[in-house]
Amino acid sequence: MQLIKKLLSLPQFIYFCIPILVISILFFFHDLPINAVEITDIDFIGQATLPKNITFQKTLIGGLSGITYDPKKNLYYVISDDRGKKAPARFYTLKIDLSKGKLANGGVVPVSVTTLLNENGQKLPSGETDTEGIALTSKDTVFISSEGDANQLINPFIKEFLLSSGKEITTLPIPQKFLPDKNGKQGIRNNLAFESLTITPNEKKLFTATENALIQDGSEAKANTSSPCRILQYNLLTKQLEKEFLYQTEPVAPLLDITKHFTSGLPDLLAVDNRGNFLSLERSFTGLGFYIALFQVSLEEADDIHNIDSIKQADIKNIKPVQKKLLLDLRKLDVLLDNIEGLTFGSKLPDGQPSLILISDNNFNSLQRTQILAFKLKMESRLIRLLRRLVPPNFKR
């Protein structure tokens, strides 16, 4: 009886009721932004490199530009950006062993290759695709994005394919302003289009982004100069484009740019929740090594620009871009970085924490590597963070 009286003392009772009150409010207002997820910590847990010139089922493995994870089968699907020169357009299935809580050489093994087929069951024509992004659905299908070829006036695409056969079943519409034209005054820049692809956990939305600005939107990324990219939001129930958002890449300074070859852009996005929060991957070749960075991104306060055909003409200063916060500059790792282009959440680690996997595109270049990096993440919803602040320390024991 004395214990009950102590527990029901006014201060303790108030502290006990606050979390219950918050949860009750959120139950009725479950769409509030407080349900958004944030990454609060990230730790590097190892890397693996595929052997050079590795072949599998008579195909050369390389150009691995996008990756997605299948939790039901504990497998990863990885798209190759080979334009049909080494083998027809295809994706690989990999096993990545994180069972010991880390990744090491030998921990990545190819298990199958799937050739992409059009809706008539034919292989995609050589030279007409540049497949870069891949995202899995729970229906045993994958969406795949292609950059097309702006120089040849070949349009980009976002299509859905069956996992079992690789056959195309759905095509999402691409707005006219993204399509290249013969005058070179609008549309995607060559090799700077839809590299990224991600689907929200509830599978209601699909997102992709241009790697650099559309021609009519502004400059491509240059040394010390950012580029205004567009994030595209599709409704997967209606298969229609709903919104677009402005994403500014980081201005990157070249380091001993002896080759005078500088490239920079946004190669991938990863949805972390259903509230418009992402991880973004930015990659730059700076003349001496790669700048690779992970950012946390929020659409919460960004303007919808899908009705704006030209950012440059609309005046970029009047547009609210997505919010970005640097999560990790990979140059701080004790790792020689290659051309990292893809990222995905991976399997749960032995301690129950989620993993993050990054993969590089070796460009079928003998001087580059297919590199896989693994990280351990700590993720929390804003609700959990709020409750931790509201509940006193003596209630956490």
Side-chain angles (χ1 to χ4, degrees), residues 53-73:
N53 299 316
I54 181 175
T55 61
F56 184 80
Q57 296 182 0
K58 299 181 180 180
T59 68
L60 180 62
I61 298 179
L64 304 184
S65 298
I67 183 169
T68 189
Y69 176 60
D70 187 339
K72 292 188 298 184
K73 302 173 184 176

Side-chain angles (χ1 to χ4, degrees), residues 378-394:
K378 183 178 180 182
M379 302 171 64
E380 288 185 329
S381 70
R382 295 182 189 174
L383 170 60
I384 296 300
R385 295 185 73 182
L386 176 61
L387 290 179
R388 284 199 295 106
R389 292 169 184 169
L390 290 175
V391 178
N394 61 332

Side-chain angles (χ1 to χ4, degrees), residues 322-339:
V322 304
Q323 296 174 302
K324 292 169 56 182
K325 182 174 72 173
L326 180 64
L327 180 66
L328 178 65
D329 182 342
L330 274 68
R331 293 176 298 183
K332 295 181 179 179
L333 304 177
D334 187 20
V335 172
L336 180 62
L337 296 171
D338 213 291
N339 183 36

Side-chain angles (χ1 to χ4, degrees), residues 2-285:
Q2 192 70 23
L3 179 61
I4 294 175
K5 289 182 179 179
K6 187 175 181 180
L7 286 174
L8 293 180
S9 63
L10 188 59
Q12 294 282 5
F13 182 73
I14 292 174
Y15 280 128
F16 183 77
C17 288
I18 288 175
I20 296 176
L21 179 61
V22 172
I23 292 172
S24 300
I25 293 172
L26 291 174
F27 180 80
F28 291 103
F29 300 99
H30 59 276
D31 284 334
L32 289 176
I34 200 164
N35 292 307
V37 173
E38 294 180 3
I39 294 171
T40 57
D41 198 16
I42 179 168
D43 293 315
F44 178 60
I45 56 171
Q47 67 168 323
T49 303
L50 293 184
K52 287 185 179 293
N53 299 316
I54 181 175
T55 61
F56 184 80
Q57 296 182 0
K58 299 181 180 180
T59 68
L60 180 62
I61 298 179
L64 304 184
S65 298
I67 183 169
T68 189
Y69 176 60
D70 187 339
K72 292 188 298 184
K73 302 173 184 176
N74 193 23
L75 294 171
Y76 298 78
Y77 308 114
V78 189
I79 189 70
S80 173
D81 68 359
D82 179 12
R83 298 191 181 206
K85 294 180 179 179
K86 311 292 183 182
R90 61 202 180 277
F91 67 86
Y92 292 92
T93 302
L94 305 179
K95 286 184 178 179
I96 299 179
D97 184 8
L98 298 177
S99 60
K100 296 181 180 179
K102 60 182 180 180
L103 178 62
N105 273 330
V108 179
V109 179
V111 295
S112 68
V113 58
T114 304
T115 299
L116 298 181
L117 307 174
N118 65 19
E119 54 191 1
N120 298 318
Q122 301 171 327
K123 297 176 182 178
L124 304 186
S126 176
E128 294 189 10
T129 64
D130 184 11
T131 46
E132 298 278 3
I134 186 168
L136 177 73
T137 79
S138 60
K139 301 180 296 181
D140 287 331
T141 67
V142 285
F143 279 89
I144 291 173
S145 62
S146 169
E147 291 192 300
D149 189 330
N151 292 341
Q152 303 296 321
L153 299 183
I154 297 173
N155 292 335
F157 69 64
I158 303 168
K159 296 177 182 287
E160 185 179 14
F161 298 84
L162 294 171
L163 267 182
S164 57
S165 64
K167 186 177 180 181
E168 174 192 335
I169 57 173
T170 307
T171 299
L172 299 184
I174 307 293
Q176 185 68 33
K177 64 174 171 282
F178 290 91
L179 306 183
D181 71 351
K182 61 183 179 181
N183 297 318
K185 293 183 178 180
Q186 76 152 39
I188 56 169
R189 287 181 160 92
N190 196 54
N191 207 31
L192 293 172
F194 301 148
E195 283 252 0
S196 57
L197 205 62
T198 188
I199 295 174
T200 54
N202 63 10
E203 299 192 17
K204 292 182 179 180
K205 311 291 183 184
L206 175 146
F207 293 85
T208 187
T210 58
E211 188 178 359
N212 267 207
L214 298 179
I215 291 173
Q216 69 270 26
D217 280 345
S219 171
E220 63 192 276
K222 300 176 183 177
N224 301 300
T225 304
S226 66
S227 186
C229 307
R230 288 182 187 244
I231 294 177
L232 291 74
Q233 174 183 311
Y234 282 88
N235 184 321
L236 286 182
L237 301 178
T238 64
K239 302 295 193 295
Q240 296 299 313
L241 180 69
E242 287 184 323
K243 297 179 180 180
E244 297 171 25
F245 305 94
L246 170 63
Y247 180 107
Q248 288 277 16
T249 64
E250 293 299 297
V252 177
L255 180 63
L256 296 177
D257 190 4
I258 301 172
T259 64
K260 302 301 179 183
H261 178 64
F262 179 89
T263 59
S264 186
L266 170 64
D268 214 354
L269 289 170
L270 180 61
V272 301
D273 59 24
N274 302 317
R275 299 291 317 170
N277 291 283
F278 303 85
L279 283 178
S280 72
L281 176 67
E282 294 192 28
R283 176 276 328 269
S284 303
F285 179 70

